[in-house]
Amino acid sequence: MSYRVLLILPTLYRRWASARLYDLQDWIVSWANEYMYAGVPSMGAADGWYQTAVQLEYYFVTGEPFAGGAVDIMKCFDQIRRGLLYALAERIGMPKRILRAYKNYHESVAAYNCIAGALGQPYKKPSSIPQGCPLSMAFMALLMLPWTRMVETMNAIPRVLADDILLIV
């Protein structure tokens, strides 16, 4: 079974999440760092790729040796442990009202599979965050924050581009 199951959320929830994402911009900026190119205000994956290309060109021009790697985390959003996400978001100061509403919704939502027009039985997802949720990219960046800090202490350059991560040494 190589199907990729995507969770399509109701329009009302997506509107709520978009509004909350706007409300959370100051909170996101308070913990985000310069290595995050997804899930943070005014940054995107294209910015990260461009910055990486400039950095590598500098190494080529100056003759400075470097090594790097890139990883595309397979089914990344499907593997998120929401309990860990909730704990990290709370610890880093996410407004409790928004976190509580997000948690209550995602812990109670029922998913249905629809294949060839047939609707399956409802089920709960024990882990995962919905890839199409406006808040999910910010949460991915938050979950990658400890990794960026660890890599930085090793004098390497991390890059977070949603579910793609880069490393330059």
Side-chain angles (χ1 to χ4, degrees), residues 25-161:
Q25 285 189 13
D26 290 340
W27 173 71
I28 293 167
V29 168
S30 74
W31 52 260
N33 60 35
E34 69 269 22
Y35 307 117
M36 297 179 177
Y37 292 93
V40 298
S42 303
M43 286 299 199
D47 299 309
W49 287 113
Y50 182 77
Q51 179 64 31
T52 301
V54 169
Q55 186 80 43
L56 296 181
E57 187 64 26
Y58 171 78
Y59 293 148
F60 283 125
V61 169
T62 62
E64 187 172 339
F66 69 92
V71 175
D72 180 0
I73 304 170
M74 187 172 119
K75 297 184 180 180
C76 182
F77 290 85
D78 300 332
Q79 299 181 56
I80 301 298
R81 300 287 177 200
R82 289 189 306 267
L84 174 64
L85 173 65
Y86 304 149
L88 184 57
E90 182 176 8
R91 180 166 173 90
I92 207 153
M94 183 176 184
K96 292 184 188 320
R97 294 174 327 164
I98 297 173
L99 179 58
R100 185 174 49 248
Y102 178 87
K103 178 181 178 181
N104 288 343
Y105 180 79
H106 287 284
E107 294 304 319
S108 65
V109 72
Y112 296 82
N113 290 335
C114 180
I115 299 175
L119 189 62
Q121 295 296 314
Y123 65 96
K124 303 277 186 186
K125 296 184 106 188
S127 61
S128 83
I129 59 175
Q131 193 167 356
C133 174
L135 295 169
S136 290
M137 293 304 298
F139 286 143
M140 284 301 304
L142 177 62
L143 288 168
M144 295 305 295
L145 180 62
W147 178 79
T148 62
R149 289 181 176 172
M150 181 188 71
V151 168
E152 185 180 32
T153 64
M154 298 175 191
N155 295 321
I157 302 169
R159 296 262 191 275
V160 175
L161 308 124

Side-chain angles (χ1 to χ4, degrees), residues 9-21 134:
L9 299 170
T11 302
L12 181 60
Y13 171 81
R14 291 192 317 262
R15 296 283 186 203
W16 174 85
S18 292
R20 297 300 71 83
L21 182 61

